[in-house]
Amino acid sequence: MQPTLFEKIALGLSGLTALTIGASILFAPHAFYASYGITLGEDASLLSELRAPGAGLAGFGLLMLLGIWRHAVLPVGMAVALTVFIAFPAGRLVGLAVDGMPSGNVIGALVAELIIAALCLAAFRRRLWNPAPVLSTMQPER
């Protein structure tokens, strides 16, 4: 399954975004969250709880990018991109409804995530609505 140029662009943008944000959270959480106006302090448990999903997000970003070059990984990369960039804004919208209005930078992140989600949905639409080929593990009858 070879990706189209549009799919490569969507995977590239989503992968670079996820990798960059995840790596920033993993390796520089204080600086990353300060950009949102959040002061973390030195609580090792809190930092660990932030770094762990940062590592996961970076790993998901790598899977998205790998889908561009390894065609066998393309369906995984697409699924991960859609999951990340639909789940993140969904979580932010729940936070908006339950907790109130966050900072302008958080709203900016929400808008960026929604744009990437829309890009991925548009890029992957052809594959989303077509059934995948059935792979059989059964041996043919003789």
Side-chain angles (χ1 to χ4, degrees):
M1 163 179 351
Q2 189 132 4
T4 65
L5 178 60
F6 192 23
E7 290 170 337
K8 287 180 181 182
I9 290 168
L11 281 173
L13 180 63
S14 60
L16 284 174
T17 302
L19 177 60
T20 301
I21 291 170
S24 296
I25 294 169
L26 177 61
F27 296 113
H30 291 92
F32 178 82
Y33 285 102
S35 72
Y36 288 111
I38 300 169
T39 304
L40 293 180
E42 297 302 322
D43 183 340
S45 295
L46 174 61
L47 291 171
S48 177
E49 285 297 306
L50 294 173
R51 289 180 198 270
L57 186 58
F60 286 148
L62 287 174
L63 279 174
M64 294 174 213
L65 293 171
L66 192 58
I68 296 171
W69 297 286
R70 299 282 186 186
H71 301 153
V73 182
L74 178 61
V76 173
M78 290 174 19
V80 168
L82 287 168
T83 301
V84 166
F85 287 101
I86 291 173
F88 267 74
R92 290 192 197 278
L93 291 172
V94 169
L96 196 70
V98 174
D99 305 321
M101 185 64 73
S103 72
N105 286 348
V106 174
I107 295 299
L110 169 63
V111 170
E113 292 158 358
L114 288 170
I115 290 169
I116 293 172
L119 176 70
C120 288
L121 285 169
F124 307 147
R125 71 186 179 286
R126 177 175 58 98
R127 296 185 200 265
L128 289 172
W129 309 129
N130 292 331
V134 176
L135 300 175
S136 176
T137 58
M138 296 183 63
Q139 297 292 323
E141 292 185 34
R142 297 180 190 230

